[in-house]
Amino acid sequence: MVKVIMHGCNGHMGQVISGLVEEDPGIEIVAGVDLYDAAKNGYPVFKSIAECEIEADAVIDFSSPKAEDALIAYCLEKKLPVVVCTTGLSGEQLENIRKASEEIAVLRSANMSLGINTLLNLLQKAAKVLAPAGYDMEIVEKHHKHKVDAPSGTALALADSLNEALDKEYTYTFDRSGRRQEREPKEIGISAVRGGTIVGEHEVIFAGTDEVIEFKHTAYSKAVFGKGAIQAAKFLKGKPAGYYDMSDVIAAQ
């Protein structure tokens, strides 16, 4: 049995994960953390992570960047593994998280979906074949109108995956509205769409001469991210200090 603290338990993803955990005999939420305390949960809820003294095997973090620094400090103090799912983190916060992984087990992924993380591997194989042959690479991501960060962390992860396969020779373009020129040969274009209730859609386009190849992932429910986070927490239990991602979870299955 894996015992976890749900950081951001009363947010949408926190409630999704709480529901999934109730149906999974291999994991239990022993405590939650959230400023908003009107939701009904089957576990105690604290307004700050510092107030929680309940022992656990890991933390699942789906909260706000404002709460991230306190969470990482708490996990370092308690020597507690953490699954970081919060997006929109600053460069300084990301660096602090990576530094923390020298002392505790940290798993961070821009997208917890097992499907997206399988796609990352497939894209690297495609990029190594298609990019040298002159195919242009573009990423289009779509999310609901309430998502505040753009492009999405997943879109950047997809771009990084492509770039890594190509020895990081490519630059990223986010906005072409002020440009009056052809695209550069070694650039990856990233476009963001915000509207309605779109859960998450990511499309990677390889556009060649007289041929277009597309890879697409569509999330119809946030449950796919919750399931991935639960698998990640199970994976982290008992792991030594280090920086992990969902590819490690997939490899261990």
Side-chain angles (χ1 to χ4, degrees):
M1 172 70 73
V2 179
K3 297 181 179 180
V4 301
I5 297 170
M6 184 66 235
H7 191 245
C9 63
N10 291 333
H12 183 78
M13 279 307 306
Q15 288 296 289
V16 167
I17 292 173
S18 295
L20 292 170
V21 167
E22 288 181 0
E23 302 174 358
D24 189 332
I27 189 168
E28 176 188 4
I29 297 177
V30 293
V33 178
D34 206 299
L35 284 172
Y36 175 73
D37 61 0
K40 294 182 179 180
N41 298 294
Y43 47 81
V45 177
F46 302 89
K47 288 193 174 183
S48 73
I49 188 68
E51 298 175 17
C52 181
E53 294 294 337
I54 297 176
E55 293 187 3
D57 298 309
V59 177
I60 296 177
D61 170 46
F62 260 110
S63 59
S64 161
K66 294 179 181 179
E68 200 66 25
D69 295 340
L71 169 66
I72 297 303
Y74 176 90
C75 291
L76 284 170
E77 178 187 350
K78 302 292 185 181
K79 301 302 180 186
L80 191 59
V82 57
V83 180
V84 178
C85 307
T86 297
T87 60
L89 300 175
S90 69
E92 182 179 356
Q93 287 176 313
L94 293 175
E95 181 59 30
N96 287 340
I97 290 169
R98 189 170 285 276
K99 186 176 181 180
S101 71
E102 297 174 4
E103 300 182 42
I104 58 174
V106 175
L107 189 148
R108 180 183 174 272
S109 178
N111 189 304
M112 301 305 295
S113 159
L114 295 173
I116 278 286
N117 285 279
T118 301
L119 177 60
L120 291 172
N121 294 330
L122 294 174
L123 287 175
Q124 289 197 333
K125 295 178 181 179
K128 289 177 180 179
V129 174
L130 299 175
Y135 286 70
D136 298 319
M137 297 179 291
E138 294 282 321
I139 298 171
V140 180
E141 58 99 340
K142 303 175 185 178
H143 284 88
H144 54 85
K145 62 184 179 182
H146 300 297
K147 186 172 179 63
V148 295
D149 53 318
S152 68
T154 300
L156 292 174
L158 292 169
D160 288 344
S161 184
L162 294 170
N163 211 0
E164 183 180 334
L166 302 168
D167 298 322
K168 299 183 179 180
E169 295 180 351
Y170 282 63
T171 59
Y172 302 160
T173 298
F174 303 104
D175 181 11
R176 292 194 174 94
S177 61
R179 297 172 55 179
R180 299 288 295 174
Q181 65 186 61
E182 292 184 2
R183 83 188 311 278
E184 297 293 333
K186 290 189 175 182
E187 75 174 20
I188 300 172
I190 306 176
S191 302
V193 176
R194 297 289 177 268
T197 59
I198 301 171
V199 173
E201 183 177 302
H202 294 83
E203 184 176 12
V204 181
I205 303 166
F206 292 88
T209 302
D210 301 322
E211 184 176 51
V212 175
I213 300 168
E214 298 176 348
F215 291 81
K216 183 177 180 180
H217 177 274
T218 302
Y220 293 102
S221 164
K222 290 190 175 182
V224 297
F225 312 129
K227 291 174 182 176
I230 289 171
Q231 291 300 318
K234 291 178 178 179
F235 168 83
L236 273 195
K237 181 180 179 181
K239 287 291 186 296
Y243 195 82
Y244 302 91
D245 59 29
M246 286 301 290
S247 65
D248 297 305
V249 178
I250 292 172
Q253 292 187 337

